[in-house]
Amino acid sequence: MDALLELGPEFWKAAGETLYIVGLTMLFGGAGGLLLGIGLYVSRAGSLLPNRAVYTVLNVVINFFRPIPFIIFIAAIQPVTRAVIGTGIGNDAAIFALSLAASFAIGRIVEQNLLTVRPGVIEAARSMGAGPWRILFTVVLGEALGPLILGYTFIVIAVIDMSAVAGFIGGGGLGYFAQLYGYRQFEPVVTWAAVLLIVVFVQIVQSLGNWLARKVLRR
C-alpha cells in the first residue's frame, strides 16, 4: 500500500492518459467506422445504393485487418504511423493505431445494426418519394440508433482493454502503469489498483451506454 501511495501522482496521470487515449480513439475511430459501416450498408446488393465493386473492396479491407491481434497490428503499421503523424512512439502514435483498428470493428458493427432496420419501414419511405440519402439519415440511422449506441459502448470497452498495449510503443495509461510499477516491481497492490480503476471506467461506460440506449428505444 505504501508503494501505491508514493505513486499517487503517477497513478492519476496514467488514469488521465487512458481517458485521453480512449476519448480521441473513439472520436477518430468512431467517425471512420461509421463511414465504413454506412458504405458497406448502402453499397450491398438490394440496399439503397447497390455497388458491387465498392462493397467488395470495403468488405475485403475490413475482413483483412479486423482479425489481426492489436499488439501485432500496432507494430505492423509503424511505417504508416510515422508517415502520418511524424512519430511511431508515444500516446499520439497509439491513438492513431487504435483509431485504425477500432474503425474496422466499428464499421462491421454499424453495418450489422443498420441491417436490423425492417425493410417495410424503408419501403414506406420510398413510397413517399424519399431519396436514398434521405432514407439513410432520417429513417435507417434513426431506427438503428439504440442498437448503434450499444455497439459503440461495446467498442469503447474494447478500446479501454486495447489501450493497455500502448506502452509497447512508448505510450502511457493504466495498462503501462500496472506493468511498469506493479508487475515488474512485484507490487500486486499497485497492479490491482490499476485493474480496479479500469473496471470502474468500464462500469461507468456500460451504464451510460445502457441508459442512453434505453432512452432512445423508448421514444
Side-chain angles (χ1 to χ4, degrees), residues 62-183:
I62 290 176
N63 285 346
F64 180 83
F65 285 105
R66 201 160 65 105
I68 300 175
F70 183 62
I71 196 166
I72 297 173
F73 182 83
I74 200 172
I77 65 159
Q78 278 282 296
V80 179
T81 305
R82 282 194 293 270
V84 174
I85 66 171
T87 179
I89 60 173
N91 287 334
D92 291 341
I95 290 168
F96 178 80
L98 278 165
S99 298
L100 272 182
S103 66
F104 297 126
I106 292 172
R108 188 63 76 190
I109 285 177
V110 169
E111 179 205 18
Q112 290 172 352
N113 282 313
L114 295 184
L115 286 172
T116 63
V117 177
R118 290 169 296 169
V121 177
I122 298 171
E123 289 305 317
R126 275 187 175 137
S127 67
M128 290 187 286
W133 293 112
R134 187 174 180 185
I135 293 174
L136 174 67
F137 290 111
T138 62
V139 178
V140 177
L141 287 174
E143 288 287 320
L145 187 56
L148 281 174
I149 291 172
L150 292 175
Y152 269 81
T153 302
F154 176 81
I155 292 296
V156 173
I157 293 170
V159 169
I160 291 174
D161 293 342
M162 290 194 296
S163 71
V165 184
F168 181 69
I169 57 169
L174 287 168
Y176 177 66
F177 176 87
Q179 293 172 44
L180 181 62
Y181 297 108
Y183 177 72

Side-chain angles (χ1 to χ4, degrees), residues 36-47:
L36 281 174
I38 288 176
L40 281 168
Y41 174 76
V42 300
S43 63
R44 67 184 296 125
S47 188

